Amino acid sequence: MEDLIRFDSVSQYNAFNQQETLHPLVTVIDLSTASPRRKTSQYMGCYGVFLKETLCGDLRYGKEYYDYQEGTLVFMAPGQVFTVENDGELYQPKGHALVFHPDLLLGTSLNSKMNEYSFFSYQVNEALHLSKRETQIVMDCLEKIKYELEHAIDKHSKRLIVSNIELFLDYCVRFYDRQFITRDTVHKGVLTRFESLLSGYFTSDKPQTIGLPSVAYCAGELNLSAKYFGDLIKKETGQSAQEYIQSKVIEAAKERIFDGNKTINEIAFELGFKYPQHFSRVFKQRVGQSPNEYRMFKDLN
């Protein structure tokens, strides 16, 4: 089993990269100044954002590889483990890293906002690809944070550092929105596969064995993280992934309601609902009529 290096603190990460710790809770590092290294599994107890500027080794998180090329941003949340693979050969890391401990955010507005930056939960093949202009903006943000770290700590330091981290992350939100648009062809393919997945789901026995399709299940079947999948579907359809799934459930329900040989309870169980009352409630919320009312109305017409 490979050795695992733990970075529970900023100072540990700095020491690994031969960097001075200027602030106990945050650091900005030019990785080209660190010593050459070999493949190592690393546990991150901090938030980490890594700007890869040249290709040197493949970064792997779990079983998947980052699409990790020139001008790529990779986001890591506390508790994640990643591996840098290089076939046992020494390599010189290049690029920049922003690493900050969750404690830095305590008492700040950014602390409650961190869950909005869903890209910290994206899978490895969902990294952010930057244009040259975007890369420059990222570097400008890192330089501002670094300037504050090199400035003597005073009563303004924490606010300015955290504000610049928030500005940086807000830019990343904008860049990801741009990426969803520029990779529209790829994402349309995901939406088509999603449609096929749901159609196949309701013509199989999975609803009876698994239940209603969840966002996590659909994302997994499409090899995407639940967060990235949810963000993609929202941008493509204007609906949340859960709302989109629910609309497909109702479409399937309407088809079955026309079959007079099946009771509403039978239809509910066929679709994966544990309780018919739940099915009736969801149907009425979406359609404006109960399943029985909808059936009677259709029979009259």
Side-chain angles (χ1 to χ4, degrees):
M1 183 176 178
E2 296 173 352
D3 293 334
L4 177 68
I5 299 178
R6 293 183 63 94
F7 299 121
D8 293 303
S9 67
V10 168
S11 59
Q12 288 175 338
Y13 190 77
N14 280 333
F16 178 75
N17 290 285
Q18 301 85 43
Q19 304 294 313
E20 179 184 1
T21 297
L22 302 176
H23 191 292
L25 298 178
V26 58
T27 189
V28 174
I29 297 175
D30 179 352
L31 293 171
S32 66
T33 63
S35 298
R37 60 192 59 176
R38 289 186 174 85
K39 176 175 65 175
T40 310
S41 294
Q42 301 174 7
Y43 168 89
M44 290 297 295
C46 304
Y47 288 100
V49 185
F50 305 93
L51 172 62
K52 186 65 187 242
E53 297 172 341
T54 57
L55 186 65
C56 60
D58 295 320
L59 183 64
R60 180 167 61 85
Y61 170 50
K63 295 181 179 179
E64 300 293 331
Y65 288 88
Y66 275 102
D67 191 352
Y68 197 47
Q69 300 172 356
E70 184 174 354
T72 303
L73 272 182
V74 176
F75 301 85
M76 305 294 292
Q80 294 182 344
V81 176
F82 66 90
T83 300
V84 177
E85 295 200 346
N86 194 259
D87 298 327
E89 298 294 326
L90 283 173
Y91 75 95
Q92 176 61 54
K94 293 184 180 180
H96 292 78
L98 166 65
V99 175
F100 57 98
H101 196 278
D103 287 355
L104 176 72
L105 308 182
L106 295 178
T108 72
S109 59
L110 180 56
N111 192 42
S112 59
K113 189 180 175 182
M114 285 302 293
N115 63 344
E116 297 178 17
Y117 300 113
S118 51
F119 41 75
F120 279 104
S121 299
Y122 286 180
Q123 284 184 1
V124 294
N125 57 337
E126 300 159 352
L128 177 58
H129 304 267
L130 302 173
S131 68
K132 289 184 178 179
R133 179 60 180 146
E134 290 169 347
T135 300
Q136 185 57 55
I137 292 172
V138 166
M139 288 303 303
D140 289 344
C141 290
L142 296 182
E143 284 298 324
K144 287 184 173 67
I145 298 169
K146 187 177 180 182
Y147 170 81
E148 288 302 322
L149 296 179
E150 293 173 345
H151 189 284
I153 295 178
D154 57 27
K155 65 179 182 180
H156 305 288
S157 298
K158 179 175 179 176
R159 179 174 59 82
L160 289 170
I161 290 170
V162 172
S163 294
N164 278 294
I165 291 175
E166 184 172 2
L167 176 64
F168 168 62
L169 296 178
D170 285 342
Y171 269 118
C172 292
V173 172
R174 168 184 280 179
F175 299 157
Y176 256 117
D177 282 348
R178 184 270 310 153
Q179 180 162 298
F180 278 118
I181 294 171
T182 56
R183 294 194 166 194
D184 187 59
T185 301
V186 175
H187 296 151
K188 291 293 186 186
V190 171
L191 189 58
T192 300
R193 287 163 53 210
F194 183 32
E195 291 267 6
S196 298
L197 173 66
L198 290 176
S199 296
Y201 193 91
F202 290 115
T203 56
S204 70
D205 62 355
K206 288 180 180 177
Q208 292 83 50
T209 57
I210 300 176
L212 290 167
S214 66
V215 174
Y217 170 83
C218 293
E221 289 296 299
L222 297 171
N223 297 315
L224 297 170
S225 68
K227 289 284 189 180
Y228 188 90
F229 174 68
D231 290 346
L232 188 158
I233 296 302
K234 182 71 173 179
K235 288 179 173 62
E236 287 291 327
T237 68
Q239 294 179 295
S240 70
Q242 184 59 48
E243 289 171 337
Y244 194 86
I245 291 171
Q246 200 171 82
S247 69
K248 295 302 177 183
V249 172
I250 296 303
E251 284 182 18
K254 287 179 176 179
E255 292 180 5
R256 287 166 169 76
I257 286 174
F258 277 110
D259 186 348
N261 295 320
K262 293 181 180 179
T263 67
I264 299 302
N265 286 2
E266 288 174 332
I267 293 171
F269 290 127
E270 278 186 8
L271 293 172
F273 286 89
K274 284 186 177 182
Y275 307 104
Q277 302 94 315
H278 182 206
F279 166 62
S280 295
R281 184 168 62 253
V282 170
F283 190 92
K284 187 164 187 176
Q285 287 174 344
R286 299 283 300 198
V287 180
Q289 296 174 305
S290 70
N292 277 319
E293 290 171 339
Y294 184 81
R295 172 175 277 175
M296 292 174 61
F297 179 79
K298 290 300 180 184
D299 286 342
L300 292 175
N301 288 273

